[in-house]
Amino acid sequence: MPVPLLDLVAQYRTIKGEVDAAMARVVERQGFIMGPEVAELETALAALCGARHGIACASGTDALLLPLKTLELRPGDEVICPAFTFFATAGTIHNAGGTPVFVDIDPATFNLDPAAVEAALTPRTRAVVPVHLYGQMAAMERLLPLAARHGLAIVEDGAQAIGATRTIDGAVRRVGELGAVGTLSFFPSKNLGAWGDGGLMVTQDDALAARLRKLRLHGGAKQYHHEEVGFNSRLDTVQAAVLLAKLPHLAGWTAGRQQVAARYSAAFADHPAIRPPVTDGANTHVWHQYTLRVERRDALVEHLKGRGIGCAVYYPTPLHLQPCFADLGGRRGQLPATERATTEVVSLPIYPELAADQQDEVITAVLDFYR
Ligand SMILES: Cc1ncc(COP(=O)(O)O)c(C=O)c1O
């Protein structure tokens, strides 16, 4: 039985009535730009993130770009980020006028290593972009004091981690709650996915929220009046309507992902060739990806493909070795934990609709390879 890496059609079948009706309401109104659903979504997601403000925008990429733009980076200004992440994390630093400085990861969680961040600080460092990779939060409690001491902004890349939490000093903290800005992506494959591109920024800061609202609308709070040069980066009303229809299901979907992850991890525990993902004890993981470290990774990928089991490598090339960043002087061997991860990781199908027999099929296919 083939098992796809992701099955959005299966999700659609479970919510078709609600989401089609939400979409139809927007179509009947023909209110495609900044309709009431956008503000409703912003309020709901700010609350989910424990933030005062939510500002929707056109993509998870723009959700990073806009706050980075507010830093007014000058040539040579540095922003620290992991090299083991999706390209947008660093591409937006470049496009905001800064220089990405790539640091290594904690090999257990795949998230950036706070000690490496500290070691990478220079007088030109302006910000840090931690990524809550695969669905669990980075060690924010170690980054925040660093940022406070050195006057740095923290922009949390929460694209993969909507609803994830981390217990810090006995308090449950959410993605986006602690950084100057936190970001979400609604790319269709995300835990909360739109029917196209979409993103959202959250912040506790009233002035910063007002500035981000302007930046997404050509730099003006009033029509045809522009205080600065901004962007056209609105979230479409139809996307907001889809996301609002999906939002009540998110907690249940996350629980479904957690069940699949638990089943996989039990099946792969103690296997000499397979290392299941590690959840930091302070975190609740929302399992955007279920990512193993394995021996003979590329051969396993071929084997799974042959059996019709979807899988993917996130990410095969670390960002410090991407051709577009060659002028930054990145070299092989510079970030050992990152480079090792790129050769060992493989992500398996994980979504709440994944049936028990499909999960068995995935588990058997992986274990068969090592038999
Ligand atoms: C870690 C990370 N950052 C940023 C993004 C960018 O989001 P988008 O594709 O919505 O622009 C993504 C997802 O695609 C991501 O996984």
Side-chain angles (χ1 to χ4, degrees):
M1 179 205 339
V3 182
L5 181 62
L6 180 67
D7 188 353
L8 288 175
V9 174
Q11 184 196 65
Y12 178 52
R13 280 200 203 101
T14 69
I15 54 168
K16 183 172 167 29
E18 300 145 64
V19 78
D20 285 0
M23 179 70 114
R25 282 194 291 276
V26 179
V27 172
E28 288 297 331
R29 235 178 33 235
Q30 293 285 296
F32 298 115
I33 301 293
M34 299 304 276
E37 288 86 351
V38 175
E40 202 184 318
L41 181 76
E42 290 175 338
T43 303
L45 288 181
L48 184 83
C49 296
R52 281 171 60 78
H53 303 278
I55 304 104
C57 62
S59 67
T61 300
D62 278 6
L64 291 165
L65 179 64
L66 271 50
L68 289 167
K69 274 280 183 187
T70 68
L71 299 177
E72 324 275 1
L73 300 173
R74 298 226 291 267
D77 280 356
E78 297 170 356
V79 178
I80 296 173
C81 70
F84 192 62
T85 175
F86 179 64
F87 180 75
T89 310
T92 51
I93 294 170
H94 172 91
N95 283 337
T99 300
V101 172
F102 297 112
V103 300
D104 217 347
I105 52 169
D106 165 6
T109 61
F110 301 109
N111 281 327
L112 95 176
D113 172 1
V117 173
E118 185 155 21
L121 292 173
T122 77
R124 301 301 305 267
T125 308
R126 299 284 315 282
V128 182
V129 183
V131 180
H132 305 309
L133 199 72
Y134 300 150
Q136 72 172 321
M137 280 178 70
M140 293 296 290
E141 72 285 0
R142 293 187 53 200
L143 298 174
L144 291 163
L146 269 186
R149 250 198 329 274
H150 297 275
L152 313 175
I154 292 191
V155 178
E156 295 177 56
D157 184 341
Q160 302 189 2
I162 186 169
T165 66
R166 182 170 181 85
T167 302
I168 300 174
D169 294 333
V172 176
R173 303 299 200 159
R174 288 166 275 184
V175 162
E177 182 179 341
L178 296 171
V181 176
T183 72
L184 299 175
S185 161
F186 308 125
F187 186 80
S189 63
K190 292 293 193 283
N191 289 25
L192 181 67
W195 285 0
D197 278 307
L200 187 111
M201 303 161 276
V202 294
T203 182
Q204 313 288 10
D205 182 324
D206 299 352
L208 186 53
R211 176 121 189 249
L212 293 170
R213 277 185 201 287
K214 274 198 274 190
L215 273 180
R216 77 164 170 196
L217 263 181
H218 292 300
K222 266 196 331 213
Q223 209 177 15
Y224 307 129
H225 178 83
H226 306 274
E227 285 116 41
E228 62 181 313
V229 178
F231 301 85
N232 177 358
S233 185
R234 297 169 291 230
L235 180 72
D236 290 336
T237 312
V238 288
Q239 301 304 348
V242 167
L243 292 164
L244 276 173
K246 287 188 174 192
L247 189 54
H249 300 280
L250 181 64
W253 288 341
T254 300
R257 287 173 180 274
Q258 288 164 340
Q259 275 165 19
V260 177
R263 185 119 181 272
Y264 281 162
S265 288
F268 299 134
D270 304 324
H271 193 290
I274 305 171
R275 270 182 292 160
V278 173
T279 303
D280 184 302
N283 283 343
T284 55
H285 202 311
V286 298
W287 299 106
H288 176 58
Q289 299 296 344
Y290 182 90
T291 304
L292 299 170
R293 281 180 189 268
V294 293
E295 287 176 11
R296 295 189 291 133
R297 193 269 316 274
D298 293 341
L300 172 65
V301 167
E302 284 313 307
H303 164 82
L304 293 176
K305 279 189 186 149
R307 297 268 286 252
I309 306 294
C311 64
V313 172
Y314 306 113
Y315 296 91
T317 304
L319 297 187
H320 67 296
L321 300 180
Q322 291 289 351
C324 66
F325 293 132
D327 61 335
L328 300 179
R331 52 181 174 74
R332 204 165 281 287
Q334 179 187 338
L335 302 176
T338 295
E339 291 166 38
R340 182 157 188 197
T342 61
T343 66
E344 291 183 347
V345 295
V346 60
S347 299
L348 300 179
I350 187 160
Y351 36 95
E353 300 81 13
L354 197 68
D357 57 343
Q358 291 178 302
Q359 296 169 34
D360 289 339
E361 197 81 17
V362 174
I363 291 165
T364 305
V366 173
L367 295 177
D368 279 354
F369 175 73
Y370 293 105
R371 252 191 262 285

